[in-house]
Amino acid sequence: MAQPPIDITLRRSDSLTAAELDEIWAVTNRYVETDRAIYEKKLRALPEVGLWRTRGAAGMLVGLVSLDVYRVEWRGRQRTVFFTSSVVIDERFRGTNLVLRTGLRAYLREKLRRPWQPGYWFFDTFSYKSYLLLPRNLTEFWPRRDVPTPAGVAGFIELLARQRYGTSWSAESGVVRRSGHKRLRPTTAPIDESQLSDPDVRFFQTANPGHRDGDMLVCLVPLSVGKLLRPVLRTLGKRFSR
């Protein structure tokens, strides 16, 4: 059966209602082990949230992403950073590039304001499924299995990660050490022998061996309209062809 269309809404996180927070928790609690109060505090700490809901008057929430868009100076030039966190997607609606579609919307909004300022997507993950979004859809991202992270890119990641995570960040491993407050449920994204046949999954496992306990691999993606638009159009094309 064909999936219903998904509407994407970008909202201020402080505008979320009690009913919406209940919906968010219902989706999140299926896949993540965490305390609700701690989770909601972290969710509200970022200025925006992208909500993904099936179209219609009684639309069902199928996932979300929290978002912080800010500017930093690196090597004498201002850059726009799109930091995402708290990504959860109902498994029935995965494979539709909701993260990239939401990112494209936020990126276009910022490019209208600062058209010449370079943009970067910055995030952390303890799920190989989130990491696979990069090699499956994008041509330039870090870290990756086939090319070592260039020194200049590593320096920029160090700046962003040190600002964001403080002493929990390890530049040597490229990983944010677990907080003890959040990890995936054992059934959410386990890595077994079948997954390890994929070289990108093997890379994630090697780069972040503590992912089961909540350690997070930090990732950086240089952005452009073309880089974001291509996988979105490819996904839409597959849907229309079916």
Side-chain angles (χ1 to χ4, degrees), residues 39-91:
Y39 173 79
E40 291 184 358
K41 181 179 180 181
K42 181 181 177 183
L43 184 68
R44 290 182 179 277
L46 299 189
E48 289 185 284
V49 61
L51 300 179
W52 305 321
R53 192 179 294 277
T54 56
R55 189 166 299 166
M60 175 181 67
L61 187 76
V62 302
L64 70 143
V65 57
S66 56
L67 177 67
D68 186 11
V69 181
Y70 60 101
R71 276 155 291 285
V72 298
E73 183 174 324
W74 172 245
R75 294 186 170 177
R77 187 176 183 185
Q78 286 284 316
R79 299 156 198 269
T80 303
V81 177
F82 299 80
F83 175 74
T84 57
S85 186
S86 303
V87 179
V88 178
I89 306 174
D90 185 312
E91 59 190 343

Side-chain angles (χ1 to χ4, degrees), residues 194-236:
S194 62
Q195 275 85 36
L196 287 173
S197 64
D198 185 315
D200 291 307
V201 176
R202 288 200 304 273
F203 172 79
F204 177 83
Q205 168 80 359
T206 301
N208 187 16
H211 62 89
R212 293 181 186 86
D213 297 313
D215 288 352
M216 300 177 292
L217 183 68
V218 170
C219 303
L220 184 73
V221 182
L223 295 178
S224 71
V225 173
K227 289 176 182 177
L228 290 172
L229 191 58
R230 278 190 293 273
V232 170
L233 291 177
R234 185 167 60 245
T235 299
L236 292 176

Side-chain angles (χ1 to χ4, degrees), residues 71-182:
R71 276 155 291 285
V72 298
E73 183 174 324
W74 172 245
R75 294 186 170 177
R77 187 176 183 185
Q78 286 284 316
R79 299 156 198 269
T80 303
V81 177
F82 299 80
F83 175 74
T84 57
S85 186
S86 303
V87 179
V88 178
I89 306 174
D90 185 312
E91 59 190 343
R92 295 169 293 176
F93 297 88
R94 293 172 187 169
T96 54
N97 276 336
L98 288 169
V99 175
L100 295 181
R101 288 162 59 189
T102 307
L104 178 61
R105 180 175 298 188
Y107 183 70
L108 289 173
R109 180 188 67 188
E110 294 303 314
K111 290 304 282 185
L112 288 173
R113 297 172 179 170
R114 299 172 180 84
W116 306 115
Q117 197 165 101
Y120 296 83
W121 177 22
F122 172 54
F123 71 100
D124 56 62
T125 181
F126 46 28
S127 168
Y128 79 89
K129 295 181 180 181
S130 296
Y131 178 76
L132 287 184
L133 181 67
L134 306 183
R136 297 294 183 270
N137 294 281
L138 302 167
T139 58
E140 186 180 7
F141 57 89
W142 313 100
R144 55 192 300 158
R145 62 180 171 84
D146 54 341
V147 181
T149 304
V153 175
F156 189 39
I157 292 174
E158 164 69 14
L159 171 70
L160 299 177
R162 190 65 63 188
Q163 290 176 343
R164 177 71 55 178
Y165 308 109
T167 57
S168 296
W169 158 252
S170 169
E172 291 73 24
S173 65
V175 166
V176 180
R177 287 181 289 273
R178 69 201 72 169
S179 66
H181 299 305
K182 182 180 176 183

Side-chain angles (χ1 to χ4, degrees), residues 7-34:
D7 287 328
I8 298 171
T9 306
L10 278 171
R11 294 264 304 280
R12 295 287 305 178
S13 59
D14 57 13
S15 73
L16 293 169
T17 66
E20 288 172 326
L21 288 170
D22 286 342
E23 289 182 293
I24 288 170
W25 178 248
V27 175
T28 301
N29 193 40
R30 286 182 229 161
Y31 305 107
V32 181
E33 292 182 3
T34 187

